[in-house]
Amino acid sequence: MLWSGWGDPAQARELPEPVRGLLRDLLGVRAPQTPAATLESVRLPPVALAEPLLQALTEVVGAEHVLTGHEDRVRRTRGKSTPDLLRMRAGDGSDAPDAVVLAGSHDEVAELLRLCSRERIAVVPFGGGTSVVGGLAAAGDGFAGVVALDLRRLDRLRSVDAGSRVAEFEPGVRAPDAERLLAAHGLTLGHFPQSFEYATLGGFAAARSSGQASAGYGRFDDMVVGLTLAAPAGTLELGRAPKSAAGPDLRQLVLGSEGAFGVITSLRLRVRRAPAERRYEGWRFASFAEGTAAMRALAQDGPLPAVLRLSDETETLIGLSRPDTIGSTGSTGSNEPAGSAGSAGSGGPGVSGGCLLIAGYEGERVGARHAAASTVLARMGGQPLGAEPGESWKHGRFSAPYLRDSLLAAGATVETLETAGFWSNLPRLYDAVRLALLGALGSPLVMCHVSHVYDTGASLYFTVVTPQDEDPVAQWARAKAAVNTAIVEAGGTITHHHGVGRDHRDAYATEIGPLGTAVLRAVKAELDPAGILNPGALIPRD
């Protein structure tokens, strides 16, 4: 993973001049005045952990698995939100851990947590490093130091119960490796979030991840039937059956806990038969409201595709629903951005305006389900666009973060945020977020799509682009605070799938109220009495 950006450095690309020109003319974007820092020039604080403590860590995992080198620390500094990347591009490594520790078993994790609790060393569990909500920068004040507990050595598929269709994994398995290992058994998780190429299974569970095919396969927390948690106070083994009436489901305390209660060392996951067929296509709706009504009809009365997502008018026009085509030379032979009138980005050749809906079908009886869903979409006002828009989206489904890096380098602040609400409240929530962004940033480009649907409601996922001012980190902090307030006041949840981290912590406290906050603190005190696990994340402040 690129230390100051997203993904494979070989896939990074510079924006073509026509696109940079549009950014200058439409938004006033100007190139940054100072070049981005190199890895070697990132400023890190001295290692705070005393030598006896470093030696104690090596006695648990071995000297080769305790790392304090410059690059090792830089690569575990923060996550991949836009503020995280802006700080790294400025050479600010002030949140770097003092050491990186690679545990190789549950017992090693448990022993490390006991040691760190006893010696007051803060611990941040680290999987793929893809957090976008400030979930990987520990508040180290009052601790002897900060350790990034990298779980990459816990990378095995332990077992497959074919009869129950349950697979047991260690938490450090990356999503592509999980799919490869399951494919050998004819199985799949079906979990494909935008972070798929780099995120780990443990990270999915800790953040309640939701994949792009959630309509067909469910969220990741729906897939977890059992888990093992190592906490400073001991070990929790949870999940004896698919469902149980034996009291509250303690699995739900761990899912979404973001490493603040303990470290997941094993996951037992529901898996599915690998799909025999996949079919993706595009539809055009005249408005976001009409497209949303069609999605609601499918979500409530079926048949529901595995993938169902709708871009609003602005996102469709810009072409962000197909990010791999933006700024590239398309079939027109020009360098105009996808989404211009008549381009594929606006719904297909000869189609301009409106909203692009992507529908994807996977598994058995694809033809029958496609035909039935198409009848509903057409009845609700949809215009079929054929396979090309759907296949284009599928091809570029993991490309958007690379586009963000290119825009940051060009001088634009680009960030995403998401929420969810009941169907009846979605229009109010949509307007509230847009107005908050416009009020905080002036005249930004604001785009939105619906990408996760339920019987009772759906998510809204926003992307905003605005010129960087003299302090882009503070610029976005103001906008984010305004949006958080707007979401709470409009009755939405502060996050649908990005997680709480630090960015949403205070708004989360408002959402769950004082009693809910007290419950979280009580759980934290029982499992992690010294408060060493990811301090500053998830748990609202006193």
Side-chain angles (χ1 to χ4, degrees), residues 472-508:
V473 174
Q475 175 192 29
W476 179 250
R478 292 190 298 271
K480 183 66 171 175
V483 169
N484 286 356
T485 298
I487 287 173
V488 171
E489 292 179 349
T493 180
I494 194 59
T495 175
H496 172 264
H497 58 269
H498 280 172
V500 175
R502 286 149 188 77
D503 295 354
H504 296 148
R505 181 189 58 203
D506 296 340
Y508 176 50

Side-chain angles (χ1 to χ4, degrees), residues 189-193 208-224 270 272 304-307 451-454 496:
L189 277 171
H191 190 70
F192 301 100
R208 287 192 185 272
S209 173
S210 191
Q212 295 166 340
S214 64
Y217 294 95
R219 293 162 52 98
F220 195 80
D221 45 349
D222 298 327
M223 302 175 187
V224 179
R270 181 205 70 200
R272 302 284 184 88
L304 188 59
V307 172
S451 53
H452 307 281
V453 298
Y454 309 93
H496 172 264

Side-chain angles (χ1 to χ4, degrees), residues 186 217 273-279 361-366 369:
Y217 294 95
R273 181 182 296 143
E277 183 182 356
R278 291 183 172 94
R279 180 171 180 174
Y361 306 85
E362 299 190 1
E364 307 294 331
R365 301 180 61 250
V366 162
R369 287 188 291 114

